[in-house]
Amino acid sequence: TDVAPFTTLALHAVDQLSPMLWRTTAESFVVLEPDVLVQATDIATCFQSSPPSHLLYISSLLNAVQQTRPMAQGIVANTTFNMLLADNDGTPAESLLARACDAHAEALGSLPSEVDADVRRAIRTDHLEALTEVAARLRKHHVTVEPALFTSQFGLQGRPDVLVERDQSSSYVVDLKTGKPPREDANPEW
């Protein structure tokens, strides 16, 4: 079975041969991390009734998520960015955007056709150049796409878009935003 680039793996009882190479043994377990993220606000609904009930959360999973333009734009932009990070063949960014749109045809198809076209146009004209530039900068570092990060100190977990490791002691998070900045003068700094 092929594993997509940047898939998060949990490796148990493996031999590390080098910083980027491991070998499994008869005792090894390799677990593909599921692409599931539970929102804290969703869990909080369990406590909005008396007595609290986990069934409220479970029943919320049965409700269809109403796709919005910002959600669809963020999903397609993130997928395009992930493809740009993984691309070693010099595939044109426009082609990767088209593939990302195809991969999320269901999300885009749930929107009115003029909104679907607007999402594609907005990513192409407003974001694609920056996504391409940032992906090129990050490719020279070790990156992990959407890693699960935990802090036992605060009991929190999160999943940033990209974790960039510059060296053994230095790393930072990149989280994509395709909406408008909260202030007119808010500019990213490198």
Side-chain angles (χ1 to χ4, degrees):
T1 304
D2 288 337
V3 177
F6 304 114
T7 299
T8 302
L9 302 174
L11 306 175
H12 302 276
V14 294
D15 296 333
Q16 187 170 3
L17 304 176
S18 71
M20 296 298 295
L21 183 64
W22 292 266
R23 177 179 56 208
T24 58
T25 67
E27 291 79 35
S28 296
F29 288 99
V30 177
V31 180
L32 287 152
E33 183 177 295
D35 190 15
V36 176
L37 184 62
V38 176
Q39 300 293 334
T41 52
D42 294 342
I43 298 297
T45 61
C46 297
F47 302 95
Q48 293 176 353
S49 67
S50 183
S53 174
H54 65 284
L55 296 175
L56 291 171
Y57 171 71
I58 293 171
S59 67
S60 75
L61 297 175
L62 301 174
N63 297 330
V65 174
Q66 182 63 39
Q67 195 68 254
T68 64
R69 181 196 184 285
M71 287 171 62
Q73 183 170 312
I75 290 167
V76 172
N78 275 19
T79 300
T80 302
F81 185 66
N82 294 351
M83 290 176 173
L84 286 163
L85 280 172
D87 181 55
N88 293 319
D89 302 328
T91 305
E94 289 273 348
S95 297
L96 295 176
L97 172 59
R99 286 187 205 164
C101 289
D102 290 346
H104 296 290
E106 183 178 313
L108 292 170
S110 68
L111 299 169
S113 60
E114 66 275 4
V115 175
D116 174 0
D118 187 48
V119 165
R120 294 168 190 258
R121 182 212 49 79
I123 295 171
R124 186 174 30 263
T125 61
D126 301 341
H127 304 293
L128 195 56
E129 183 179 338
L131 293 173
T132 303
E133 179 184 322
V134 172
R137 287 182 188 182
L138 296 181
R139 252 190 243 111
K140 55 187 154 190
H141 303 289
H142 175 70
V143 298
T144 306
V145 174
E146 296 187 6
L149 301 178
F150 305 92
T151 169
S152 57
Q153 179 180 2
F154 300 109
L156 299 173
Q157 86 172 43
R159 192 179 294 236
D161 293 324
V162 181
L163 177 66
V164 182
E165 298 175 56
R166 290 188 214 171
D167 54 47
Q168 295 290 342
S169 62
S170 175
S171 60
Y172 61 94
V173 166
V174 174
D175 206 54
L176 299 178
K177 299 297 173 207
T178 57
K180 294 179 181 173
R183 301 185 332 255
E184 289 291 325
D185 62 342
N187 292 316
E189 294 185 25
W190 291 97

